[in-house]
Amino acid sequence: MDMELAGAELKAVLNRLRRAQGQIAGVIRMIEEGRDCEEVVTQLAAASRALDRAGFAIIATGLQQCLTDVETGRKNGEGVDQMRARLEKLFLSLA
């Protein structure tokens, strides 16, 4: 199942991933500097949320594409139940 992100969707996902990348770099610096544990955990939680949101955006795009594939009859040799199971597995991997 190939997922294609269109212009605005791609930009939003990339922005979230870049934000998470910056936050993770910040966490590393904070640990190296011996910063307060609460500050480190807060920053780490923010990075985790950014990654989760990027993942959910990608999965939502996949769901939309799968629905379109089913509606137009393009299933790429994969049945509806198989697509649903694969997407459910992806979704649960972020839970």
Side-chain angles (χ1 to χ4, degrees):
M1 165 180 46
D2 295 332
M3 292 190 204
E4 299 173 14
L5 296 174
E9 295 166 334
L10 177 62
K11 185 176 179 179
V13 168
L14 289 174
N15 285 341
R16 288 185 190 280
L17 291 173
R18 287 187 182 108
R19 183 178 309 131
Q21 183 179 36
Q23 290 166 326
I24 291 169
V27 169
I28 292 169
R29 276 191 308 275
M30 292 169 79
I31 292 170
E32 290 173 342
E33 295 169 358
R35 300 275 295 272
D36 178 66
C37 179
E38 188 175 342
E39 292 176 18
V40 172
V41 171
T42 299
Q43 189 70 8
L44 190 57
S48 179
R49 282 190 304 273
L51 287 172
D52 286 346
R53 289 176 188 256
F56 288 133
I58 291 169
I59 289 173
T61 298
L63 287 170
Q64 183 179 7
Q65 288 176 359
C66 286
L67 289 173
T68 301
D69 288 349
V70 169
E71 289 172 0
T72 60
R74 294 183 307 123
K75 298 180 189 173
N76 298 325
E78 189 172 40
V80 174
D81 291 337
Q82 291 170 317
M83 283 193 296
R84 188 183 80 59
R86 287 179 63 197
L87 286 167
E88 182 179 333
K89 183 178 177 182
L90 283 174
F91 183 78
L92 291 174
S93 72
L94 293 175

